[in-house]
Amino acid sequence: MVVEIENFYGVYLLYCINPKYKGRTYIGFTNDPNRRIKQHNTGTKAGGARRTSGRGPWEMVLIIHGFPNNISALRFEWAWQHPDKSRRLRHLPKKSSRETAFQHKFRLVSNMLRVGPWCKLPLTIRWLKQEYMLEFDPLLQPPNHMPIAYGPVQSKKLKKNKAESVAKDTQSSQVDDDDDDFVHLSQARATRCDVCVKRLQDPESQVSCVHPSCSMKAHMTCLSRHFLRRTEDSLLPVEGTCPKCKVSLLWGEVIRQKLGCQDVPPDSDDKAHWTDEV
């Protein structure tokens, strides 16, 4: 099964399995991992990177995804590529002679996921090739709200008319019906934010509870502020309580649900750099 995700922004790690270059690694950003690995293995004529061209085959073994936008993902990519230049990572020990390039890159990303601003993001750590999986050091475990997933992932394109059709449905549900006050009242209640009690009009700004039995809907900003009441020094929410069913929620789960993550049968936009270390 392939996990399909809308609004996909990911930063990946490649591993070279060519006997001549085996063990070399490459870090890059993409919004379409399947297309990107094909480009890397085909060469520059197909849009692959110059530094990976002719040195394949490459395996995309690890990808960190769930970034809110491409800028956030590109900043993460840059820091992973240049830990000695990043003010958040420059204190980390350099690659030791006993470490492979792959082990070094994994140690770096393990540290990155534990520092701000990345430790607050609803990220998913996904091993695309489970045979390459490494265990996190007990002292470098990722935050609880970041799941470790396994298996392939696929970018799902948003249809342009999707948001428009949802918006029209929402607007039509708010049309006054003078002949049936009860229907009008129930519709009005169903379109109100469970935090601020104001009307929910823009489907793109709405979030809902992840529990199927709960009908909570709220403005994304309202639920964010509701979660942040539990923490005084945080700018990004991590977890909180559903204002309706009172069940504990992880902000990452709420966002992943909104982005649309579902299992479907199997069926770049990138800037990346390669490392010669082995």
Side-chain angles (χ1 to χ4, degrees), residues 14 21 23 42 64 89 98 102 119 122 134 147 193 209 218 223 243 251:
L14 296 188
Y21 305 99
T42 303
I64 312 297
L89 306 175
R98 291 181 293 180
F102 184 65
C119 63
L134 297 177
C193 172
C209 182
L223 189 63
W251 181 253

Side-chain angles (χ1 to χ4, degrees), residues 14-30:
L14 296 188
Y15 182 84
C16 182
I17 58 175
N18 184 325
K20 186 177 179 180
Y21 305 99
K22 190 172 182 179
R24 294 181 176 177
T25 58
Y26 177 102
I27 294 168
F29 156 78
T30 187

